[in-house]
Amino acid sequence: LDALTVAVYEHAVILPNKTETLVSQDKCPVPYEREYRFLDRAIKHSAKQRNAQMTVTPEDALYGWKFSRETISLYLKDIPAPQVNWITCQNTQRFGYTPVQQRLSCLAKDNSIYVVANIGDKKPCNASDRQCPPDGRYQYNTDVVFDSEGRLVARYHKYNLFAPEIQFDFPKDSESVTFETPFGKFGIFTCFDIFSHTPAVVVVDEFQVDSVLYPVAWYNTLPLLSAVPFHSAWARAMRVNLLAANTHNTSMHMTGSGIYAPEAVKVYHYDMETESGQLMLSELKSRPRNEPTYPAAVDWSAYARSVKPFLSEQSNFPGMIYFDELTFIELKRNTGNYTVCQKDLCCHLTYKMSEKRTDEVYALGAFDGLHTVEGQYYLQICTLLKCQISDLRTCGEPVGSAFTKLEEFSLSGTFATRYVFPQIILSGSQLAPERHYEVLRDGRLRSRS
Amino acid sequence: RTPLPVLVLALYGRVFDKDPPRLGQGPRRFE
């Protein structure tokens, strides 16, 4: 099949009160019963009414996340490897009592649709394993995929846990989980994994998947780590389809799901106004690499290394973005050329504003260093951003609206990596439509003329 | 050409060669 219709469901999970007390086994289904009904309805609708072939649901969508290691353990079951070739819905007791897997399998089978969900896997261990936790079990944040016959075809253990996930264990080894379908090759990983070479880059570059399934519980942190801009940029730069399903929880700034192709954003959803979930669907090319529209590889530093830095009499100043200290320079006029450097990275900007408002301040920033807060990962960033207020000390702080308009821009940098994710965020946290900008093969992010 | 009310333009680069062995800090860091 050349194309497929996919669905992504942003689910507004109701979190239980902080679950610190153990519950009896017979009460296990209760916490996820409501959540399951929502997922069931969304998946049935996408299959029956919209002819989708696959639905992706978010990380933590069934259980929420306010658990200790002990309290979540009762909800976890052993999830076998897909190699056992298990149609759970038909052979329900083969691996013991597994009600959640059974329901997901039957949902997939009865509606002839691939179902992607995030649950938990529990694996007993003993003292012969020196890394076995004291309570005698490993607990993994786990994605599962059931095919349209209800067969378990993928099981992925989240490799890079986010810091507060104290209820889960890190897998010892990374595994790249992929599976073939009539509509292309798929890979899967979860949330924080996207920052890591393993598994995110490996599954794309070495396993050559066509599409990535991506359940997340992602809280947005402007200016650079908001779900929709970052995930769509990742799909563009990695040149794969990305099906990103986010949990919806506005109090934790969790919203932003989408279906992203290498050449274009197909559909996205961002809603900080309501507490409702959202189902979205789109058609995708099954094998984007074979398409004439497949974007060429970008040499991200080619242009920036070929030009001389723009000289300026203005002073640089420091500013923080998500705990990283950038070097900034203020954009003083309606038009201009600026260069700002930090360590080995120099960022060049050429721009023209149609009318620069006096109460809005913009700055060009550079960062070249190791981020060390919720994880350790090395970044090189070039960014033009609006400062929160006219005080330069607020440059890098989150801001929601802008009235100054850019007519022309060209941003580039002397990057020492081929993994660069280009983002444009407009007033109201909206994405810029692709017709307004382009990424050139020499690494310039440029307005379209 | 439509002028855009831009909040952020960014080129967000990841230099995997300079990463420590494992990205996540996990529970131990927060205990």
Side-chain angles (χ1 to χ4, degrees):
Chain A
L1 300 177
D2 293 335
L4 75 161
T5 301
V6 297
V8 155
Y9 178 52
E10 179 164 313
H11 175 52
V13 61
I14 299 251
L15 297 176
N17 292 330
K18 191 168 174 59
T19 314
E20 290 175 336
T21 53
L22 295 171
V23 296
S24 63
Q25 187 84 11
D26 62 341
K27 290 184 178 173
C28 281
V30 174
Y32 71 82
E33 197 64 46
R34 172 198 174 272
E35 317 308 332
Y36 181 81
R37 284 201 303 273
F38 275 81
L39 269 53
D40 178 275
R41 194 168 63 185
I43 291 165
K44 283 178 177 165
H45 180 80
S46 58
K48 298 296 186 193
Q49 308 294 320
R50 310 290 293 274
N51 296 318
Q53 285 136 313
M54 179 177 285
T55 299
V56 185
T57 61
E59 183 184 22
D60 298 328
L62 276 164
Y63 299 112
W65 52 83
K66 290 185 176 178
F67 288 99
S68 69
R69 183 176 174 83
E70 289 71 30
T71 54
I72 201 171
S73 69
L74 283 176
Y75 307 118
L76 308 184
K77 301 292 179 186
D78 192 337
I79 303 172
Q83 288 76 8
V84 299
N85 192 25
W86 185 27
I87 298 179
T88 319
C89 186
Q90 288 180 343
N91 195 351
T92 56
Q93 298 298 315
R94 182 176 168 194
F95 295 97
Y97 177 62
T98 55
V100 181
Q101 293 174 70
Q102 181 186 331
R103 291 174 95 171
L104 291 170
S105 168
C106 292
L107 189 56
K109 178 174 175 290
D110 295 345
N111 295 282
S112 298
I113 188 171
Y114 280 71
V115 170
V116 183
N118 176 260
I119 51 179
D121 190 4
K122 181 162 64 176
K123 293 278 184 272
C125 54
N126 56 42
S128 64
D129 175 357
R130 292 179 60 188
Q131 292 177 306
C132 181
D135 54 14
R137 60 181 182 267
Y138 291 107
Q139 299 183 169
Y140 299 120
N141 179 334
T142 307
D143 299 327
V144 289
V145 183
F146 294 92
D147 72 8
S148 52
E149 295 176 347
R151 180 182 290 103
L152 179 67
V153 292
R155 179 197 65 182
Y156 172 74
H157 294 151
K158 185 178 181 181
Y159 186 59
N160 297 284
L161 294 176
F162 201 61
E165 293 184 89
I166 57 172
Q167 68 274 40
F168 292 120
D169 295 304
F170 283 91
K172 289 177 193 167
D173 303 308
S174 70
E175 53 177 354
S176 295
V177 173
T178 65
F179 59 98
E180 294 279 359
T181 75
F183 29 83
K185 185 175 182 179
F186 284 77
I188 186 166
F189 54 79
T190 304
C191 208
F192 199 33
D193 285 327
I194 203 170
F195 285 102
S196 178
H197 188 268
T198 305
V201 172
V202 171
V203 85
V204 175
D205 281 358
E206 295 182 20
F207 288 82
Q208 295 278 299
V209 297
D210 299 298
S211 304
V212 171
L213 306 171
Y214 187 48
V216 303
W218 183 291
Y219 64 85
N220 297 316
T221 55
L222 283 169
L224 298 178
L225 292 178
S226 195
V228 169
F230 189 79
H231 298 160
S232 59
W234 195 89
R236 171 186 285 271
M238 298 302 291
R239 300 187 295 161
V240 288
N241 296 323
L242 182 68
L243 284 59
N246 199 358
T247 303
H248 188 87
N249 185 312
T250 58
S251 65
M252 293 190 70
H253 299 274
M254 285 179 174
T255 179
S257 306
I259 299 168
Y260 313 112
E263 76 286 357
V265 173
K266 294 296 186 181
V267 60
Y268 76 93
H269 175 72
Y270 174 89
D271 170 25
M272 280 294 287
E273 305 300 319
T274 79
E275 296 305 322
S276 303
Q278 179 74 32
L279 181 68
M280 64 209 83
L281 293 99
S282 178
E283 188 173 274
L284 286 172
K285 297 295 182 187
S286 300
R287 294 168 184 83
R289 293 170 211 275
N290 299 343
E291 298 294 325
T293 54
Y294 191 58
V298 175
D299 180 347
W300 287 102
S301 64
Y303 178 80
R305 291 191 190 284
S306 72
V307 296
K308 290 182 180 174
F310 301 118
L311 300 177
S312 171
E313 294 174 352
Q314 285 171 236
S315 302
N316 294 341
F317 62 93
M320 301 294 287
I321 295 182
Y322 201 47
F323 310 103
D324 297 325
E325 186 174 299
L326 278 76
T327 303
F328 280 111
I329 189 167
E330 183 185 358
L331 312 187
K332 285 281 194 183
R333 294 179 293 278
N334 282 353
T335 63
N337 302 299
Y338 286 98
T339 295
V340 67
C341 299
Q342 187 181 94
K343 295 183 186 170
D344 295 332
L345 177 69
C346 285
C347 305
H348 307 308
L349 174 72
T350 297
Y351 71 97
K352 178 181 179 184
M353 292 168 173
S354 52
E355 183 185 349
K356 185 176 183 305
R357 287 172 52 126
T358 54
D359 60 344
E360 292 190 323
V361 170
Y362 284 79
L364 173 66
F367 178 75
D368 184 355
L370 185 68
H371 176 83
T372 60
V373 181
E374 82 294 357
Q376 297 195 8
Y377 45 95
Y378 202 97
L379 297 171
Q380 286 188 324
I381 300 169
C382 292
T383 182
L384 160 70
L385 49 76
K386 185 193 158 187
C387 304
Q388 196 173 61
I389 56 175
S390 53
D391 185 337
L392 292 180
R393 287 175 295 187
T394 67
C395 295
E397 295 290 323
V399 58
S401 62
F403 295 94
T404 298
K405 292 184 177 175
L406 273 178
E407 259 183 46
E408 297 174 21
F409 56 82
S410 170
L411 178 66
S412 60
T414 57
F415 292 98
T417 177
R418 58 194 181 97
Y419 299 103
V420 177
F421 310 113
Q423 302 185 41
I424 303 181
I425 307 173
L426 303 183
S427 186
S429 290
Q430 297 303 304
L431 285 185
E434 280 96 2
R435 65 180 180 277
H436 291 302
Y437 70 94
E438 58 191 339
V439 176
L440 302 185
R441 292 182 67 175
D442 63 11
R444 280 177 286 173
L445 173 60
R446 197 176 73 165
S447 52
R448 241 183 235 280
S449 58
Chain B
R1 182 176 297 154
T2 308
L4 299 174
V6 170
L7 283 180
V8 183
L9 291 182
L11 295 170
Y12 189 97
R14 281 283 289 110
V15 189
F16 297 111
D17 299 345
K18 294 187 177 183
D19 279 356
R22 194 134 182 182
L23 170 73
Q25 296 300 295
R28 214 160 282 169
R29 178 187 167 92
F30 274 67
E31 279 171 358

